[in-house]
Amino acid sequence: MTWRWTGYNMVIFLAGLQNIPGELYEAASIDGASKVRQFFMITIPLLRPVFIFTVVMSTIGTLQLLDEPFILTHGGPNSATMTITLYLYEQGFKFFDFGYASAIAYVLVLITALVSWIQMKLVGDIEE
C-alpha cells in the first residue's frame, strides 16, 4: 500500500509546494532566517492543509483495500490478510448474504467518516 499512495501523495505535495509564494522565502532570507528555519516556519505551516488532505485520503484508501489481498491470497492463510472490504465482498458475493454485506458497508462508511473527522479535529482544521 505504501507504493500505491506514494506517487499520488507526492503529486499533491508538489502542488502544495508550488502554491507557496516565493516572496515569503525571500523575506525570511532578508530577515536572516536559515533554510531550516524557513522550512519549519513557512513550508510546514503552509502545507498543513495538504498534510490533512493526504492523511485523510490515504486512510480512506486503506480502509477500502480489496484488490491486493483478494488477488494475492484471497484473505490469506487463516484469514491473516483479510480486510474489511474483502470480508464485505465475500459475504455479499461468495455467501450471497447481501443484507449482512450492506450492513458492513454502512458501518464502514460510519467508521471512515468518524476516523476522518477525528484526524481533522486532531490537527485543528475543523472550526467549531
Side-chain angles (χ1 to χ4, degrees):
M1 287 300 298
T2 300
W3 295 114
R4 178 188 221 182
W5 287 101
T6 300
Y8 174 78
N9 289 337
M10 286 304 109
V11 169
I12 301 298
F13 273 104
L14 180 62
L17 285 170
Q18 290 176 343
N19 198 30
I20 298 174
E23 292 84 13
L24 293 175
Y25 295 109
E26 184 180 348
S29 294
I30 292 171
D31 289 341
S34 67
K35 293 291 183 185
V36 173
R37 184 124 175 116
Q38 290 177 20
F39 178 74
F40 284 107
M41 295 298 163
I42 297 172
T43 307
I44 296 295
L46 290 178
L47 285 180
R48 185 174 178 201
V50 176
F51 277 110
I52 294 167
F53 178 76
T54 56
V55 167
V56 169
M57 293 303 292
S58 296
T59 302
I60 291 170
T62 302
L63 287 172
Q64 294 176 344
L65 176 65
L66 171 69
D67 302 344
E68 290 87 352
F70 179 74
I71 291 171
L72 294 173
T73 63
H74 291 284
N78 200 17
S79 298
T81 60
M82 180 70 68
T83 63
I84 186 74
T85 51
L86 182 55
Y87 182 68
L88 185 153
Y89 176 82
E90 283 187 351
Q91 293 301 313
F93 297 107
K94 185 176 180 182
F95 303 119
F96 298 106
D97 192 357
F98 294 112
Y100 184 52
S102 296
I104 295 170
Y106 275 107
V107 170
L108 183 60
V109 166
L110 291 175
I111 290 171
T112 303
L114 180 66
V115 168
S116 298
W117 182 79
I118 289 170
Q119 288 175 336
M120 285 191 267
K121 194 71 169 169
L122 285 176
V123 292
D125 197 39
I126 297 178
E127 298 297 324
E128 300 269 337

